[in-house]
Amino acid sequence: CDMKLGDGEARALVNDAKTADGGRPVFVPLWVAQTLCEQIEEHGLTGTNHLFTIKRRTIQKEHERACRIAGIPDYTIHDHRHTAAVHLAQAGMPLNLLQQQLGHARIDMTMRYARFHPEYSDVGGYFEEVGKRLGLTGAGNSLGNTRDTAIINAER
């Protein structure tokens, strides 16, 4: 991909067959951009050189071999993308920004990570806030937590 380094941030233009123009911008953290710049400088690379010269299939085979040796079955390189998305969601990245970073066309794909997002992991707090705004503070307290209240109401 092409990477544009700016003041305090970097963007990479990732090749993406799903988009109309074949590419989409992705945020690159400054610490990653700095590491890449060090690699470029260390090896004397220019704009026409490839930063990573190992073939994708070679990397996949080595990854599979390392996972086999480590006793981690069925863990693919793509699973690293999922892990990164979980960490971003846990860090509180808004889901619309996570969707953009991952290149998901629809938010429902990104919503798989909502359970890891601190703002979405416990909806009970939102219902309590609505209750406060409606003047019903403490309405659910006599029945226990909001999950218990929902279960009781569903059984009725």
Side-chain angles (χ1 to χ4, degrees), residues 2-156:
D2 292 327
M3 186 165 56
K4 308 289 185 212
L5 301 175
D7 241 357
E9 75 169 32
R11 300 256 174 213
L13 184 61
V14 176
N15 296 330
D16 189 350
K18 292 185 218 173
T19 59
D21 62 357
R24 64 181 169 86
V26 175
F27 175 78
V28 177
L30 186 57
W31 55 271
V32 171
Q34 288 172 337
T35 302
L36 292 173
C37 285
E38 289 169 9
Q39 180 81 0
I40 290 167
E41 189 175 313
E42 181 181 322
H43 294 281
L45 303 174
T46 65
T48 58
N49 297 118
H50 288 278
L51 181 58
F52 303 104
T53 58
I54 301 170
K55 290 184 167 60
R56 179 181 293 185
R57 186 62 193 141
T58 302
I59 293 169
Q60 289 172 330
K61 285 181 179 180
E62 287 300 311
H63 184 271
E64 290 166 4
R65 187 176 74 80
C67 288
R68 190 172 52 255
I69 291 168
I72 305 169
D74 303 322
Y75 190 77
T76 67
I77 288 178
H78 189 77
D79 292 328
H80 293 287
R81 174 182 158 88
H82 176 76
T83 300
V86 168
H87 284 293
L88 289 169
Q90 287 174 335
M93 179 182 268
L95 293 176
N96 63 317
L97 296 179
L98 184 59
Q99 175 188 8
Q100 181 181 352
Q101 183 71 13
L102 296 172
H104 291 157
R106 298 185 351 227
I107 193 68
D108 61 328
M109 286 295 292
T110 311
M111 288 300 293
R112 297 181 305 170
Y113 303 103
R115 65 181 175 187
F116 302 107
H117 195 286
E119 292 179 23
Y120 299 104
S121 61
D122 182 16
V123 296
Y126 293 103
F127 284 97
E128 289 300 319
E129 182 60 32
V130 169
K132 287 179 192 173
R133 290 179 184 201
L134 293 174
L136 303 171
T137 53
N141 290 345
S142 63
L143 295 175
N145 68 32
T146 44
R147 179 185 290 166
D148 294 340
T149 304
I151 291 170
I152 290 168
N153 289 335
E155 290 174 349
R156 288 184 184 163

